[in-house]
Amino acid sequence: MDTRRTDQLFGIYVFVMHGAVFVKRLSARTDGTIPVSSNNKNYPPEEVLMSSVRWGEPDSTDTMCIIGRVAMLMTIAL
């Protein structure tokens, strides 16, 4: 996971929101929103305002706190 802060939010990120940890795809838009989508189609996409996003360690607020960008995916062949 790459924890360096960036304003170029595009890719798969680890973040905390509403007290839970998520790994989802983010893609910032020019209108100030961030679509949050899952590869699992059972979970509908959401939108978050860029103004409610921060980087670093999560706290008790309901803002989205980005921990980092997924840098590598690993699979195990069985």
Side-chain angles (χ1 to χ4, degrees):
M1 182 168 52
D2 183 356
T3 58
R4 291 177 290 179
R5 182 188 170 118
T6 178
D7 292 331
Q8 304 290 324
L9 292 178
F10 184 79
I12 301 172
Y13 285 82
V14 177
F15 59 92
V16 176
M17 190 166 64
H18 308 298
V21 177
F22 295 92
V23 179
K24 295 198 180 230
R25 187 173 307 281
L26 305 180
S27 53
R29 293 184 181 150
T30 57
D31 66 357
T33 61
I34 302 173
V36 179
S37 59
S38 175
N39 285 352
N40 185 336
K41 300 303 178 194
N42 291 325
Y43 296 95
E46 300 178 53
E47 280 194 358
V48 176
L49 292 175
M50 181 70 88
S51 59
S52 68
V53 175
R54 65 184 195 85
W55 283 79
E57 295 197 26
D59 59 17
S60 61
T61 65
D62 283 339
T63 59
M64 174 191 278
C65 182
I66 297 175
I67 306 302
R69 185 176 192 271
V70 174
M72 181 188 320
L73 299 174
M74 298 176 66
T75 59
I76 298 174
L78 297 176

